[in-house]
Amino acid sequence: NKEFVVRRRSTRYDECFRKLPDDFKTQQFMDCFGCSQPTAARALDRFKKDGVIESVKYGLYKKLVSELP
């Protein structure tokens, strides 16, 4: 039996998240993280579930924290 290990985001994720403005669009996220639209959608969904960002309107997000937990 393997023990459950909490996933730790890489320092690259931390750096990219810090570079994002407080209010950002999906395209800005994709440019900063260097990812495709489907990958960005999954990451943004995960960030929303973790309480790191919130959706202001379609394609526009607001950071709730300045650093990733």
Side-chain angles (χ1 to χ4, degrees):
N1 290 336
K2 292 183 179 180
E3 289 185 35
F4 177 74
V5 178
V6 177
R7 247 177 71 214
R8 177 73 182 122
R9 292 185 182 91
S10 68
T11 54
R12 184 180 148 273
Y13 252 61
D14 294 332
E15 285 177 31
C16 291
F17 188 78
R18 268 188 246 117
K19 289 179 187 175
L20 284 171
D22 288 340
D23 295 314
F24 61 93
K25 296 181 179 181
T26 306
Q27 186 62 51
Q28 289 173 295
F29 184 90
M30 289 166 48
D31 293 342
C32 190
F33 281 77
C35 62
S36 64
Q37 198 281 327
T39 302
R42 282 193 302 273
L44 290 167
D45 191 47
R46 192 165 53 241
F47 284 161
K48 281 193 288 189
K49 286 179 183 172
D50 290 349
V52 174
I53 63 170
E54 69 179 356
S55 182
V56 177
K57 62 180 183 179
Y58 182 78
L60 184 64
Y61 302 91
K62 179 180 181 132
K63 289 175 23 176
L64 300 175
V65 296
S66 57
E67 296 280 326
L68 288 175

